[in-house]
Amino acid sequence: MEHVILVRYGEIALKGLNRNYFIELLAKNIRNTLRCVPSAKVKRIQGRIIVDIEEADLELGLERIQKVFGIVSVSPAFVIDSDIDVIEENAIEQVRSAQGVKTFKITAKRGDKTFPIKSPDLNCRLGEVILDAVEGVSVDIHNPDLNLWVEVRQKTYMYHEFIPCNGGMPVGCSGKGALLLSGGIDSPVAGYLMAKRGVEVIGVYFHSFPFTSDRAKQKVIDLAKIMSQYCGKIKLYVVPFTEIQTKIVEKCPDRQTTIIIRRYMMRIAEMIAEKEGAKALITGESLGQVASQTMEGLGATNAVANLPVFRPLIGFDKADIVAIAERIGTFETSILPYEDCCTIFVPKHPETRPKIPEMLRSEEAIAEMMVDMMATAVENSEIIKL
């Protein structure tokens, strides 16, 4: 018996003349995520993507494929010939071998219009032969113990399980975005949500050694690895930030250092974005969550960016963000007690209503030296491919 994973996609089916591009990209992303499953072979049929897979690899294949954006649901299925006798024989066997089944329902779909029996008639015919052949079962169309799906295409696919997936768009169809990735809870979730809308994520992590330890750096690498299960391959830039951060703290007013540090992070992230061909910056900021995330604070950091800045968490509260982090598996890593560069040198009374002209005046003391320092930081960044 040939085992497959039946893949259903959602909104990309509505893409008109571009539909083929989106489906091909989704198939490519599925192939990439199943690289560790040698028996998996991905192919397209009308309205579906099919993954041929050996039974021994089925569980691993299902685990990995469920995380691919663009898929709304999957079903482990088996393939038989589109011959009515073969279909009847296998439908009887499926109900007979199912444990504890007292009621059943047949949901037949005739995708191949050359097949001589229409869907409603096939429903009735299969129900009748099962009732005749299997003792002790009855039909329940509302709440059956077993709903047996029969999709008749060039081949026939039979299954009884729907596994919901993340939906969204295939990663890569919406271009690239540079994600300011810290070791906290928020930024991995922000990257996940943008990847769900088809954005290929490039990570930018600011490392202030020795103020931030190698354990903090490894924590961010581990978070990027978890994200890559959903986002596909991730290129992570580890930017040496100690000299820049120290100079800001030395030369700029204490109340303004958090915002000014953030402004220089945005400038550097934009330099990396332009180097990588990314068309947007992504942050994990949520309005009002911390002192720098007031409207004025966000405006002050936005002012230095020429690229669009996407903040998918802007209206989320912390409980919303934590719930997603727990679901995608980043939460336990995010709460490990290793500091990041945003948590050191925090002023006692940070500015919450910064004015851009004042920021510019404060930055005059460092602006000239920062041009070379930023270029050096980008040039000396460690690039980790995950």
Side-chain angles (χ1 to χ4, degrees), residues 271-328:
M271 292 168 68
I272 292 171
E274 290 172 352
K275 178 181 177 181
E276 289 290 335
K279 302 301 182 185
L281 304 180
I282 305 166
T283 79
E285 293 163 310
S286 172
L287 185 62
Q289 185 169 234
V290 295
S292 64
Q293 294 175 17
T294 60
M295 282 195 181
E296 293 86 347
L298 296 175
T301 55
N302 263 21
V304 303
N306 295 311
L307 294 176
V309 182
F310 295 149
R311 296 181 171 92
L313 304 182
I314 196 68
F316 285 46
D317 63 29
K318 200 65 176 185
D320 298 329
I321 301 167
V322 167
I324 298 174
E326 289 177 333
R327 177 165 55 82
I328 67 177

Side-chain angles (χ1 to χ4, degrees), residues 17-51:
L17 295 177
N18 293 319
R19 184 187 305 120
N20 192 61
Y21 161 73
F22 287 95
I23 297 173
E24 282 297 328
L25 181 58
L26 176 57
K28 177 185 174 183
N29 291 346
I30 293 171
R31 290 186 187 99
N32 286 337
T33 201
L34 293 177
R35 288 191 309 271
C36 64
V37 187
S39 71
K41 301 292 184 291
V42 180
K43 63 183 180 182
R44 288 177 56 183
I45 62 172
Q46 183 184 9
R48 299 280 187 266
I49 293 174
I50 298 293
V51 181

Side-chain angles (χ1 to χ4, degrees), residues 210-315:
F211 303 112
T212 52
S213 67
D214 284 338
R215 291 182 302 177
K217 172 183 167 182
Q218 186 59 49
K219 174 182 173 180
V220 173
I221 294 171
D222 292 341
L223 285 170
K225 285 180 181 176
I226 296 169
M227 290 175 59
S228 70
Q229 298 174 37
Y230 303 91
C231 305
K233 297 178 181 178
I234 292 179
K235 184 183 287 187
L236 175 64
Y237 279 75
V238 179
V239 181
F241 198 59
T242 309
E243 189 176 2
I244 293 173
Q245 190 168 15
T246 303
K247 195 62 67 177
I248 293 170
V249 171
E250 287 177 357
K251 300 289 186 179
C252 298
D254 184 62
R255 285 176 57 88
Q256 297 177 354
T257 54
T258 299
I259 298 293
I260 292 175
I261 286 170
R262 192 71 180 172
R263 281 161 62 90
Y264 276 100
M265 286 180 173
M266 297 289 274
R267 290 179 172 112
I268 292 171
E270 187 165 82
M271 292 168 68
I272 292 171
E274 290 172 352
K275 178 181 177 181
E276 289 290 335
K279 302 301 182 185
L281 304 180
I282 305 166
T283 79
E285 293 163 310
S286 172
L287 185 62
Q289 185 169 234
V290 295
S292 64
Q293 294 175 17
T294 60
M295 282 195 181
E296 293 86 347
L298 296 175
T301 55
N302 263 21
V304 303
N306 295 311
L307 294 176
V309 182
F310 295 149
R311 296 181 171 92
L313 304 182
I314 196 68

